[in-house]
Amino acid sequence: MKYGLALHTSSSQLGLAISNFESDTRRQVWNLGRELSNTLHQHLADFICPQTWDAIAFIAVAKGPGSFTSTRIGLVTARTLGQQLKIPVFAFSSLAIFAWSIRDQVRINQLIPVQMSATKEQIYGAIYQMSEQKQLITILSDVLLEPEQWQEKLAHFAPDQKIFMTPDNLGDNVSDLLTLAYQDWQAGIHPSWLEALPFYGM
């Protein structure tokens, strides 16, 4: 039986999830801080057991925005596994994953502006919408902006809409990352590991 595997490393948390989408689903989150890059591979090797690597049908990974180092190590790991195992790698925005995680808090067709603090008082922002088919639609892709520029985007795309702020601990959303990838997998989308590229906002 084939499984999907998700890695969420764009914050100080390591989130891992694995599922065959029928009878077996597991997730685990570690608050690793600076140790994430040193311990990711051991946690991953321990986590997938009793499954083996040949049971993995696809990999999902958070591509940022978020911590530069943590995001990079997660993407490098996912890309390497995708290349070696010859399986698809789905890379999703950390903001999109968070927007999907709050889907039960929003109405159908409601706009979902998502905001994350960046360095130098800048803002990562994106705007999504929940479709009638319960699919996440991107209205404004991830951007890195000055606060006044972000306000202009909000006024243009989503005036008077509630802004959703991302939490510090993004690894908690790893199950949502796996769900988004599974939706695309079922739709016949099978991206190459070469397409899994980071978003650092630079």
Side-chain angles (χ1 to χ4, degrees), residues 4-200:
L5 174 68
L7 300 81
H8 201 320
T9 68
S10 65
S11 68
S12 61
Q13 286 186 320
L14 167 62
L16 298 176
I18 189 170
S19 180
N20 63 9
F21 308 99
E22 292 181 5
S23 57
D24 187 14
T25 298
R26 307 191 307 277
R27 71 180 287 275
Q28 194 166 351
V29 179
W30 297 263
N31 293 302
L32 298 177
R34 295 180 181 273
E35 289 301 307
L36 191 151
S37 60
N38 297 327
T39 60
L40 166 60
H41 294 94
Q42 187 59 54
H43 282 302
L44 180 57
D46 294 340
F47 177 77
I48 68 160
C49 292
Q51 276 69 51
T52 55
W53 289 113
D54 59 3
I56 306 301
F58 67 83
I59 294 173
V61 64
K63 67 178 182 179
S67 164
F68 179 92
T69 302
S70 297
T71 299
R72 180 175 57 82
I73 191 69
L75 271 162
V76 168
T77 301
R79 283 167 57 93
T80 301
L81 288 171
Q83 181 183 20
Q84 292 181 346
L85 299 173
K86 297 180 173 58
I87 57 175
V89 177
F90 296 87
F92 282 93
S93 156
S94 304
L95 303 183
I97 300 164
F98 172 69
W100 178 252
S101 77
I102 59 170
R103 59 193 177 279
D104 293 335
Q105 302 177 34
V106 300
R107 304 180 308 277
I108 296 298
N109 294 325
Q110 178 181 340
L111 293 174
I112 311 169
V114 178
Q115 179 176 323
M116 177 192 290
S117 297
T119 57
K120 301 178 182 178
E121 298 184 353
Q122 293 178 307
I123 290 169
Y124 292 114
I127 301 174
Y128 303 94
Q129 187 177 38
M130 194 62 61
S131 74
E132 294 181 1
Q133 293 76 32
K134 283 288 186 176
Q135 299 288 322
L136 194 66
I137 300 171
T138 301
I139 304 299
L140 176 68
S141 297
D142 296 8
V143 288
L144 175 63
L145 298 169
E146 300 294 335
E148 59 271 17
Q149 295 173 316
W150 174 232
Q151 291 302 318
E152 291 173 1
K153 294 290 186 183
L154 291 170
H156 177 74
F157 288 99
D160 304 318
Q161 293 292 318
K162 176 182 177 180
I163 301 172
F164 294 89
M165 311 290 291
T166 62
D168 293 333
N169 296 326
L170 296 172
D172 289 329
N173 298 330
V174 67
S175 295
D176 299 293
L177 166 59
L178 187 57
T179 300
L180 287 171
Y182 184 56
Q183 287 180 346
D184 282 358
W185 170 262
Q186 285 186 305
I189 301 170
H190 295 163
S192 164
W193 63 271
L194 289 166
E195 299 174 54
L197 301 173
F199 175 81
Y200 296 132

